[in-house]
């Protein structure tokens, strides 16, 4: 994990919580104090928890398990997409569809439908062979599906874990993950109930710069974990090859 300083946290506004009247008592352990009627988050704990999340995601990626990135606020949609794409992970950045995890079979059908529209559209999106009205209708349906499911188009099964950038907003995702026993790495602001989040990252979930910081750390963890996995595979193949050569030499010697 790249070295993250307190200055980076402060510049990104990670320490800003919500107004004192909008808080959840279970977040009290992560609150440093109050300033101008706003809770201030303890950045030392944020740094510790972020490192724990990083280590967990990295170890999971080394085993071949990667997270589904979830963040649907308008101001962070591009951040979620960019960081998920950077590490090759699936993502949801427009709207969480109810049953995405608990009814994944139906979601897979919708993904297949989206792909069929893409085939009909062709590379240049001209819908060759269809009249203009039919083409417009299919393009509207394709865009709607692409917006909601484009980030999970290559996800063939339910994810091994979730990385949620705002657990207060993404309650549906959190509940579905809890129901299926899927681990959750999640950002929890002072107004959020951290119950059910396996790896809590206490911090501001409204600042795009703060969300970019968390997402970059998780994305880097995935990249480093997958690199170690690839390295282990190469070393295992190399060891097997050497053992095979040694066995052949021993056989000839006998």
């Amino acid at each position: 994990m790249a070295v993250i300083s307190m200055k980076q946290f402060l510049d990104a506004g990670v320490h800003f919580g919500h107004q004192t009247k909008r808080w959840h008592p279970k977040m009290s352990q992560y609150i440093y104090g109050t300033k101008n009627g706003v809770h201030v988050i303890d950045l030392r704990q944020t740094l510790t928890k972020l490192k724990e999340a990083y280590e967990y995601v990295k170890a999971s990626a080394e085993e071949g398990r990667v997270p589904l990135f979830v963040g649907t606020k308008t101001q962070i949609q591009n951040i979620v997409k960019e960081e998920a794409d950077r590490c090759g992970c699936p993502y949801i950045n427009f709207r969480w569809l109810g049953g995405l995890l608990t009814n994944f079979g139906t979601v897979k059908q919708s993904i297949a439908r989206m792909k069929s529209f893409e085939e009909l559209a062709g590379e240049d999106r001209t819908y060759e062979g269809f009249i203009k009205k039919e083409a417009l209708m299919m393009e509207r349906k394709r865009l709607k599906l692409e917006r909601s499911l484009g980030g999970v188009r290559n996800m063939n099964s339910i994810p091994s874990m979730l990385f949620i950038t705002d657990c207060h907003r993404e309650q549906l995702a959190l509940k579905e993950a809890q129901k299926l026993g899927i681990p959750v790495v999640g950002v929890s602001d002072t107004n959020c109930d951290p119950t059910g989040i396996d790896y809590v990252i206490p911090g501001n979930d409204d600042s795009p710069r703060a969300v970019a910081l968390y997402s970059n750390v998780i994305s880097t963890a995935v990249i480093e974990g997958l690199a170690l996995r690839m390295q282990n595979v190469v070393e295992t193949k190399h060891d097997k090859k050497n053992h095979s050569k040694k066995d052949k030499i021993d056989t000839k010697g006998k």
Side-chain angles (χ1 to χ4, degrees):
M1 177 173 142
V3 177
I4 295 176
S5 65
M6 288 296 175
K7 186 178 184 304
Q8 283 177 286
F9 275 153
L10 290 168
D11 289 344
V14 172
H15 58 298
F16 290 123
H18 282 270
Q19 292 179 331
T20 52
K21 62 183 178 183
R22 293 177 56 208
W23 77 301
H24 198 287
K26 289 186 179 179
M27 284 298 293
S28 60
Q29 60 182 308
Y30 304 114
I31 295 173
Y32 178 77
T34 305
K35 185 175 182 180
N36 299 327
V38 174
H39 276 131
V40 177
I41 296 165
D42 186 350
L43 293 182
R44 290 170 300 181
Q45 292 200 61
T46 302
L47 184 59
T48 300
K49 293 294 184 180
L50 188 57
K51 284 181 177 177
E52 287 177 7
Y54 163 84
E55 293 295 345
Y56 170 71
V57 173
K58 183 180 176 182
S60 298
E62 192 175 351
E63 295 172 0
R65 298 181 290 116
V66 297
L68 167 66
F69 282 60
V70 182
T72 61
K73 281 181 180 173
T74 306
Q75 65 267 35
I76 64 164
Q77 287 177 351
N78 288 336
I79 294 168
V80 171
K81 181 182 186 303
E82 286 169 10
E83 291 297 337
D85 284 341
R86 187 168 78 91
C87 61
C89 287
Y91 64 88
I92 292 291
N93 71 336
F94 177 67
R95 181 172 67 88
W96 182 269
L97 298 175
L100 183 70
L101 303 178
T102 53
N103 195 14
F104 189 65
T106 302
V107 172
K108 284 182 73 175
Q109 291 175 11
S110 296
I111 293 171
R113 191 160 172 255
M114 177 184 69
K115 289 180 178 179
S116 69
F117 281 133
E118 289 174 347
E119 289 175 9
L120 292 171
E123 290 184 9
D124 53 1
R125 300 280 185 262
T126 57
Y127 291 90
E128 191 175 342
F130 293 93
I131 62 173
K132 189 175 181 180
K133 187 177 180 181
E134 288 177 331
L136 283 170
M137 286 176 65
M138 286 190 286
E139 180 63 6
R140 284 196 197 104
K141 290 176 182 177
R142 186 194 70 77
L143 287 171
K144 186 178 179 181
L145 288 166
E146 170 71 27
R147 197 167 46 181
S148 298
L149 298 170
V152 293
R153 60 183 303 119
N154 298 318
M155 193 171 77
N156 298 315
S157 59
I158 60 173
S160 304
M161 75 184 96
L162 264 61
F163 167 57
I164 303 177
T165 59
D166 182 348
C167 288
H168 183 68
R169 179 186 175 94
E170 312 296 347
Q171 283 293 310
L172 273 177
L174 185 60
K175 286 176 181 176
E176 287 191 34
Q178 287 176 318
K179 190 172 182 180
L180 296 175
I182 299 171
V184 173
V185 175
V187 180
S188 182
D189 210 328
T190 56
N191 66 332
C192 180
D193 181 357
T195 306
I197 307 171
D198 300 275
Y199 292 85
V200 178
I201 302 170
N204 186 348
D205 57 20
D206 294 313
S207 165
R209 290 179 68 183
V211 172
L213 194 61
Y214 315 135
S215 301
N216 182 266
V217 169
I218 300 302
S219 179
T220 300
V222 173
I223 292 169
E224 292 180 0
L226 291 176
L228 286 172
R229 178 177 174 80
M230 185 60 68
Q231 184 181 331
N232 292 337
V233 169
V234 171
E235 288 176 356
T236 301
K237 285 183 178 178
H238 183 68
D239 289 343
K240 283 183 179 179
K241 192 175 180 181
N242 286 342
H243 280 303
S244 180
K245 283 182 179 179
K246 188 179 178 182
D247 290 342
K248 283 182 181 179
I249 292 169
D250 290 344
T251 304
K252 285 180 181 178
K254 290 178 182 178

